[in-house]
Amino acid sequence: MGRQPCCDKLGVKKGPWTAEEDKKLINFILTNGQCCWRAVPKLAGLRRCGKSCRLRWTNYLRPDLKRGLLSEAEEQLVIDLHARLGNRWSKIAARLPGRTDNEIKNHWNTHIKKKLLKMGIDPVTHEPLNKEAKAEESSSHADHSADNQNTTENDGIVNSSEDNSSTPTENCSSTTDDSNLLDSICNDESLLTSLLWMDEPPLVDASWNSVPAGETACNGTSLPSWEDDCAWLPDCQDFGIHDFGFDCLNDIELNTMNTLEMGDKTVLSVDAIFLYLGILLEGRR
DNA sequence: AATTATTTCAACCGCCAGGGG
DNA sequence: TCCCCTGGCGGTTGAAATAAT
């Protein structure tokens, strides 16, 4: 018996999402949280498969996403991480808060790859291209003995045999470049702030999944409505203006939002979140 | 202005891993 | 232990946007 498709192919819409669909999905997720994706389209009134909904949410609609091109520092970080992790985009994305694996993968394929090639660096091995050519030449003589030693899996990280103290990137760039990278990261305040959370569960995502005490998300019982009780939202999700990437909004837009001061953080009301998402969606069209 | 080539990136596809029955 | 389901991942595609002719 073959594997069941992720969704009933009949009557399932494909292709670009419409504003209406986005709205429905956002509404549903904000109301119910992320639960069983397979059930989402039905419950949200969408003619999409659950997988498509999950992808749309994680890659495009999630409120904690950063938009726009990667900064220099982020790009450098991606290159460095790629040298260590290879094409493990999700692992790389986990180190760049607000960025998705898809976004990083696309940016790698369209920008970074070309940049590295231009610089004479092999985007796969992160070795200088001429060195690569030489290595290939010599390896054709020297059998494949190095193959077994060259890469070792260590806790999900690929290291070359000469990699105990340095990465391929470091091999071809030098430790000065590393300090430059560090400098550039330190100079990029937003990135630095983000990186401080690097080994923490992502702020929004983690709490996004956590349904408030006493609520059940997926079994369809006793879900909170916004009107009933939103008090958990600031406490549990701790949505801050900057967690949402509100930097993109102008003062007027921000002033129209209903915010609450919570200690050193400005927390958004539910109305404000909906308003923001509306503005965000408008801005993306 | 029209046509063609190239680039970008959102979305899809197929596969895999992990969890539960 | 096996089977099924779900979520997640990485590779690929193709429509839209942009640049070049």
Side-chain angles (χ1 to χ4, degrees):
Chain A
M1 189 171 90
R3 186 189 159 81
Q4 268 198 334
C6 74
C7 51
D8 175 18
K9 299 282 181 189
L10 287 171
V12 172
K13 195 177 166 231
K14 284 181 169 185
W17 281 63
T18 63
E20 190 60 34
E21 288 175 312
D22 282 346
K23 218 183 214 170
K24 280 183 182 173
L25 183 58
I26 291 168
N27 249 316
F28 180 82
I29 303 284
L30 287 180
T31 309
N32 301 294
Q34 283 177 59
C35 64
C36 173
W37 283 111
R38 197 183 173 86
V40 165
K42 205 173 184 182
L43 296 171
L46 290 160
R47 288 174 59 204
R48 295 273 179 175
C49 77
K51 215 171 181 177
S52 181
C53 292
R54 184 179 63 80
L55 220 62
R56 182 65 180 170
W57 176 256
T58 54
N59 285 341
Y60 201 80
L61 298 175
R62 250 170 55 197
D64 61 323
L65 288 179
K66 280 186 198 167
R67 305 302 299 179
L69 286 174
L70 273 72
S71 68
E72 274 293 311
E74 284 177 310
E75 212 168 77
Q76 266 305 319
L77 193 57
V78 169
I79 293 168
D80 189 47
L81 289 168
H82 185 271
R84 294 161 190 266
L85 300 166
N87 290 2
R88 291 177 179 153
W89 306 115
S90 62
K91 298 268 183 294
I92 293 171
R95 300 290 175 184
L96 285 134
R99 301 293 187 185
T100 69
D101 52 355
N102 209 32
E103 191 180 7
I104 291 171
K105 182 171 60 183
N106 281 334
H107 191 78
W108 177 270
N109 287 326
T110 56
H111 295 102
I112 301 178
K113 233 175 171 177
K114 289 175 190 168
K115 218 174 185 178
L116 290 178
L117 284 169
K118 235 179 191 174
M119 290 160 67
I121 296 168
D122 187 313
V124 179
T125 63
H126 293 258
E127 299 280 350
L129 281 169
N130 52 355
K131 192 179 167 185
E132 277 288 295
K134 277 183 192 170
E136 201 153 304
E137 203 176 297
S138 59
S139 72
S140 64
H141 300 297
D143 208 358
H144 308 294
S145 59
D147 285 354
N148 297 330
Q149 303 169 352
N150 212 20
T151 55
T152 52
E153 278 291 331
N154 185 7
D155 196 20
I157 292 176
V158 181
N159 293 320
S160 73
S161 57
E162 55 188 274
D163 202 19
N164 289 335
S165 58
S166 64
T167 68
T169 305
E170 288 160 352
N171 292 338
C172 63
S173 59
S174 87
T175 51
T176 322
D177 286 346
D178 264 355
S179 60
N180 288 342
L181 170 62
L182 192 62
D183 283 346
S184 58
I185 290 170
C186 291
N187 289 335
D188 186 330
E189 202 183 330
S190 64
L191 179 61
L192 186 61
T193 311
S194 302
L195 288 173
L196 292 176
W197 294 92
M198 225 157 69
D199 292 313
E200 305 269 296
L203 188 61
V204 173
D205 275 359
S207 47
W208 209 254
N209 290 324
S210 67
V211 175
E215 317 290 358
T216 47
C218 210
N219 57 14
T221 61
S222 65
L223 281 166
S225 74
W226 294 114
E227 292 74 23
D228 290 341
D229 182 11
C230 298
W232 59 270
L233 185 64
D235 291 334
C236 298
Q237 303 208 172
D238 199 13
F239 289 126
I241 276 183
H242 300 290
D243 296 332
F244 268 94
F246 268 73
D247 306 1
C248 62
L249 300 181
N250 63 34
D251 289 341
I252 298 165
E253 285 163 342
L254 279 174
N255 286 338
T256 61
M257 295 193 167
N258 185 13
T259 59
L260 307 161
E261 294 301 325
M262 300 273 292
D264 60 347
K265 214 157 190 176
T266 305
V267 176
L268 300 168
S269 72
V270 175
D271 288 346
I273 292 168
F274 275 109
L275 177 60
Y276 162 67
L277 288 167
I279 293 167
L280 198 65
L281 283 172
E282 279 307 306
R284 287 175 182 174
R285 291 180 200 293

Tab-separated table of all heavy atoms in Angstrom, chain A residues 122-156:
chain	number	residue	atom	x	y	z
A	122	ASP	N	35.156	28.085	-3.939
A	122	ASP	CA	34.162	27.074	-4.277
A	122	ASP	C	33.049	27.110	-3.233
A	122	ASP	O	33.296	26.897	-2.050
A	122	ASP	CB	34.810	25.693	-4.303
A	122	ASP	CG	33.867	24.622	-4.825
A	122	ASP	OD1	32.705	24.596	-4.373
A	122	ASP	OD2	34.290	23.829	-5.680
A	123	PRO	N	31.807	27.379	-3.666
A	123	PRO	CA	30.723	27.502	-2.695
A	123	PRO	C	30.370	26.188	-2.004
A	123	PRO	O	29.694	26.205	-0.978
A	123	PRO	CB	29.545	28.013	-3.535
A	123	PRO	CG	29.883	27.706	-4.937
A	123	PRO	CD	31.374	27.635	-5.044
A	124	VAL	N	30.820	25.085	-2.572
A	124	VAL	CA	30.516	23.793	-1.953
A	124	VAL	C	31.545	23.453	-0.886
A	124	VAL	O	31.213	23.107	0.246
A	124	VAL	CB	30.451	22.673	-3.017
A	124	VAL	CG1	30.165	21.332	-2.371
A	124	VAL	CG2	29.386	22.994	-4.047
A	125	THR	N	32.782	23.573	-1.253
A	125	THR	CA	33.854	23.173	-0.323
A	125	THR	C	34.415	24.345	0.476
A	125	THR	O	35.100	24.149	1.461
A	125	THR	CB	35.007	22.541	-1.092
A	125	THR	OG1	35.557	23.534	-1.980
A	125	THR	CG2	34.549	21.350	-1.908
A	126	HIS	N	34.158	25.545	0.004
A	126	HIS	CA	34.692	26.765	0.610
A	126	HIS	C	36.212	26.836	0.488
A	126	HIS	O	36.867	27.560	1.226
A	126	HIS	CB	34.263	26.896	2.076
A	126	HIS	CG	32.779	27.116	2.225
A	126	HIS	ND1	32.210	28.331	2.491
A	126	HIS	CD2	31.754	26.245	2.103
A	126	HIS	CE1	30.885	28.197	2.537
A	126	HIS	NE2	30.595	26.947	2.309
A	127	GLU	N	36.742	26.077	-0.427
A	127	GLU	CA	38.167	26.132	-0.718
A	127	GLU	C	38.364	27.060	-1.912
A	127	GLU	O	37.485	27.184	-2.750
A	127	GLU	CB	38.680	24.729	-1.109
A	127	GLU	CG	38.529	23.670	-0.046
A	127	GLU	CD	39.637	23.755	0.999
A	127	GLU	OE1	40.604	24.522	0.764
A	127	GLU	OE2	39.528	23.081	2.024
A	128	PRO	N	39.542	27.673	-1.996
A	128	PRO	CA	39.840	28.453	-3.202
A	128	PRO	C	39.753	27.578	-4.436
A	128	PRO	O	40.148	26.417	-4.388
A	128	PRO	CB	41.268	28.923	-2.973
A	128	PRO	CG	41.466	28.851	-1.512
A	128	PRO	CD	40.602	27.733	-1.011
A	129	LEU	N	39.201	28.121	-5.503
A	129	LEU	CA	38.965	27.317	-6.698
A	129	LEU	C	40.247	26.753	-7.300
A	129	LEU	O	40.274	25.599	-7.713
A	129	LEU	CB	38.202	28.130	-7.746
A	129	LEU	CG	36.696	28.235	-7.497
A	129	LEU	CD1	36.080	29.251	-8.418
A	129	LEU	CD2	36.023	26.888	-7.633
A	130	ASN	N	41.320	27.548	-7.357
A	130	ASN	CA	42.552	27.042	-7.961
A	130	ASN	C	43.122	25.908	-7.125
A	130	ASN	O	43.637	24.938	-7.622
A	130	ASN	CB	43.588	28.156	-8.155
A	130	ASN	CG	43.829	28.934	-6.876
A	130	ASN	OD1	43.160	28.709	-5.865
A	130	ASN	ND2	44.778	29.840	-6.930
A	131	LYS	N	42.949	26.053	-5.778
A	131	LYS	CA	43.407	24.997	-4.883
A	131	LYS	C	42.606	23.726	-5.144
A	131	LYS	O	43.124	22.625	-5.150
A	131	LYS	CB	43.214	25.449	-3.435
A	131	LYS	CG	43.894	24.576	-2.402
A	131	LYS	CD	43.644	25.146	-1.021
A	131	LYS	CE	44.032	24.159	0.067
A	131	LYS	NZ	43.666	24.686	1.393
A	132	GLU	N	41.309	23.938	-5.365
A	132	GLU	CA	40.420	22.834	-5.691
A	132	GLU	C	40.911	22.080	-6.907
A	132	GLU	O	41.009	20.854	-6.894
A	132	GLU	CB	39.024	23.371	-6.007
A	132	GLU	CG	38.187	23.615	-4.807
A	132	GLU	CD	37.744	22.305	-4.178
A	132	GLU	OE1	36.984	21.595	-4.848
A	132	GLU	OE2	38.176	21.996	-3.061
A	133	ALA	N	41.214	22.841	-7.940
A	133	ALA	CA	41.651	22.237	-9.188
A	133	ALA	C	42.905	21.410	-8.954
A	133	ALA	O	43.032	20.293	-9.437
A	133	ALA	CB	41.897	23.325	-10.218
A	134	LYS	N	43.819	21.998	-8.172
A	134	LYS	CA	45.066	21.288	-7.891
A	134	LYS	C	44.784	20.019	-7.102
A	134	LYS	O	45.330	18.961	-7.367
A	134	LYS	CB	46.001	22.199	-7.091
A	134	LYS	CG	46.797	23.154	-7.965
A	134	LYS	CD	47.748	23.962	-7.096
A	134	LYS	CE	48.340	25.118	-7.862
A	134	LYS	NZ	49.061	26.050	-6.982
A	135	ALA	N	43.915	20.167	-6.112
A	135	ALA	CA	43.596	19.025	-5.253
A	135	ALA	C	43.008	17.898	-6.076
A	135	ALA	O	43.327	16.733	-5.890
A	135	ALA	CB	42.626	19.464	-4.169
A	136	GLU	N	42.118	18.293	-7.021
A	136	GLU	CA	41.481	17.308	-7.863
A	136	GLU	C	42.523	16.574	-8.688
A	136	GLU	O	42.490	15.357	-8.838
A	136	GLU	CB	40.471	17.995	-8.777
A	136	GLU	CG	39.428	17.045	-9.301
A	136	GLU	CD	38.147	17.793	-9.619
A	136	GLU	OE1	37.621	18.465	-8.733
A	136	GLU	OE2	37.710	17.687	-10.764
A	137	GLU	N	43.447	17.393	-9.189
A	137	GLU	CA	44.511	16.841	-10.010
A	137	GLU	C	45.308	15.818	-9.226
A	137	GLU	O	45.553	14.715	-9.664
A	137	GLU	CB	45.429	17.978	-10.459
A	137	GLU	CG	46.214	17.693	-11.708
A	137	GLU	CD	47.023	18.927	-12.108
A	137	GLU	OE1	46.395	19.960	-12.408
A	137	GLU	OE2	48.254	18.834	-12.066
A	138	SER	N	45.671	16.201	-8.009
A	138	SER	CA	46.507	15.302	-7.217
A	138	SER	C	45.707	14.116	-6.703
A	138	SER	O	46.232	13.018	-6.564
A	138	SER	CB	47.137	16.061	-6.053
A	138	SER	OG	46.120	16.603	-5.241
A	139	SER	N	44.426	14.354	-6.434
A	139	SER	CA	43.626	13.254	-5.894
A	139	SER	C	43.424	12.181	-6.946
A	139	SER	O	43.243	11.012	-6.614
A	139	SER	CB	42.285	13.760	-5.384
A	139	SER	OG	41.468	14.118	-6.468
A	140	SER	N	43.441	12.581	-8.198
A	140	SER	CA	43.289	11.583	-9.238
A	140	SER	C	44.483	10.635	-9.220
A	140	SER	O	44.388	9.485	-9.649
A	140	SER	CB	43.161	12.249	-10.600
A	140	SER	OG	44.337	12.941	-10.915
A	141	HIS	N	45.603	11.100	-8.692
A	141	HIS	CA	46.773	10.243	-8.554
A	141	HIS	C	46.745	9.523	-7.215
A	141	HIS	O	47.184	8.405	-7.089
A	141	HIS	CB	48.053	11.076	-8.635
A	141	HIS	CG	48.187	11.801	-9.940
A	141	HIS	ND1	48.294	11.152	-11.139
A	141	HIS	CD2	48.192	13.126	-10.224
A	141	HIS	CE1	48.392	12.051	-12.119
A	141	HIS	NE2	48.331	13.254	-11.573
A	142	ALA	N	46.228	10.215	-6.221
A	142	ALA	CA	46.416	9.724	-4.858
A	142	ALA	C	45.272	8.869	-4.336
A	142	ALA	O	45.079	8.745	-3.150
A	142	ALA	CB	46.639	10.915	-3.936
A	143	ASP	N	44.501	8.276	-5.274
A	143	ASP	CA	43.436	7.381	-4.846
A	143	ASP	C	42.408	8.103	-3.985
A	143	ASP	O	42.375	9.322	-3.916
A	143	ASP	CB	44.037	6.189	-4.100
A	143	ASP	CG	43.121	4.991	-4.257
A	143	ASP	OD1	42.058	5.121	-4.895
A	143	ASP	OD2	43.480	3.924	-3.738
A	144	HIS	N	41.572	7.343	-3.290
A	144	HIS	CA	40.495	7.967	-2.543
A	144	HIS	C	40.705	7.847	-1.046
A	144	HIS	O	39.772	7.929	-0.277
A	144	HIS	CB	39.162	7.321	-2.926
A	144	HIS	CG	38.940	7.287	-4.400
A	144	HIS	ND1	38.786	8.436	-5.135
A	144	HIS	CD2	38.907	6.248	-5.284
A	144	HIS	CE1	38.610	8.087	-6.419
A	144	HIS	NE2	38.693	6.779	-6.503
A	145	SER	N	41.917	7.602	-0.648
A	145	SER	CA	42.139	7.366	0.769
A	145	SER	C	41.659	8.507	1.645
A	145	SER	O	41.257	8.297	2.781
A	145	SER	CB	43.611	7.123	1.023
A	145	SER	OG	44.344	8.238	0.591
A	146	ALA	N	41.702	9.698	1.115
A	146	ALA	CA	41.318	10.852	1.928
A	146	ALA	C	39.814	10.919	2.139
A	146	ALA	O	39.355	11.485	3.118
A	146	ALA	CB	41.814	12.136	1.270
A	147	ASP	N	39.073	10.320	1.211
A	147	ASP	CA	37.622	10.440	1.261
A	147	ASP	C	37.052	10.030	2.603
A	147	ASP	O	36.170	10.666	3.152
A	147	ASP	CB	36.985	9.589	0.156
A	147	ASP	CG	37.157	10.272	-1.174
A	147	ASP	OD1	37.647	11.423	-1.190
A	147	ASP	OD2	36.831	9.652	-2.176
A	148	ASN	N	37.566	8.928	3.131
A	148	ASN	CA	37.012	8.425	4.364
A	148	ASN	C	37.382	9.298	5.554
A	148	ASN	O	36.693	9.318	6.553
A	148	ASN	CB	37.484	6.989	4.618
A	148	ASN	CG	36.971	6.075	3.529
A	148	ASN	OD1	35.905	6.331	2.970
A	148	ASN	ND2	37.742	5.060	3.195
A	149	GLN	N	38.502	9.964	5.430
A	149	GLN	CA	38.934	10.765	6.568
A	149	GLN	C	38.441	12.188	6.459
A	149	GLN	O	38.357	12.899	7.454
A	149	GLN	CB	40.467	10.811	6.608
A	149	GLN	CG	41.074	9.431	6.665
A	149	GLN	CD	42.567	9.509	6.422
A	149	GLN	OE1	43.081	10.576	6.073
A	149	GLN	NE2	43.262	8.407	6.611
A	150	ASN	N	38.100	12.564	5.256
A	150	ASN	CA	37.887	13.989	5.021
A	150	ASN	C	36.717	14.579	5.774
A	150	ASN	O	36.780	15.676	6.286
A	150	ASN	CB	37.711	14.236	3.522
A	150	ASN	CG	38.239	15.593	3.144
A	150	ASN	OD1	39.044	16.161	3.886
A	150	ASN	ND2	37.795	16.115	2.045
A	151	THR	N	35.654	13.827	5.852
A	151	THR	CA	34.504	14.374	6.545
A	151	THR	C	34.078	13.454	7.657
A	151	THR	O	34.006	12.240	7.491
A	151	THR	CB	33.327	14.575	5.586
A	151	THR	OG1	33.071	13.341	4.951
A	151	THR	CG2	33.647	15.635	4.553
A	152	THR	N	33.833	14.042	8.782
A	152	THR	CA	33.330	13.289	9.911
A	152	THR	C	32.128	13.996	10.475
A	152	THR	O	32.096	15.204	10.572
A	152	THR	CB	34.388	13.160	11.012
A	152	THR	OG1	34.860	14.478	11.304
A	152	THR	CG2	35.533	12.288	10.573
A	153	GLU	N	31.125	13.215	10.843
A	153	GLU	CA	29.942	13.778	11.462
A	153	GLU	C	30.212	13.906	12.945
A	153	GLU	O	30.573	12.954	13.602
A	153	GLU	CB	28.745	12.835	11.295
A	153	GLU	CG	28.042	12.921	9.985
A	153	GLU	CD	27.272	14.236	9.781
A	153	GLU	OE1	26.813	14.853	10.747
A	153	GLU	OE2	27.152	14.631	8.639
A	154	ASN	N	30.031	15.084	13.421
A	154	ASN	CA	30.171	15.260	14.852
A	154	ASN	C	29.051	16.141	15.340
A	154	ASN	O	29.036	17.331	15.126
A	154	ASN	CB	31.531	15.891	15.154
A	154	ASN	CG	31.769	15.975	16.640
A	154	ASN	OD1	30.982	15.445	17.429
A	154	ASN	ND2	32.836	16.633	17.001
A	155	ASP	N	28.082	15.493	15.992
A	155	ASP	CA	26.962	16.236	16.525
A	155	ASP	C	26.287	17.062	15.441
A	155	ASP	O	25.941	18.219	15.645
A	155	ASP	CB	27.442	17.127	17.659
A	155	ASP	CG	26.254	17.612	18.492
A	155	ASP	OD1	25.185	16.977	18.416
A	155	ASP	OD2	26.408	18.599	19.173
A	156	GLY	N	26.162	16.456	14.274
A	156	GLY	CA	25.460	17.135	13.197
A	156	GLY	C	26.311	18.145	12.465
A	156	GLY	O	25.861	18.842	11.580
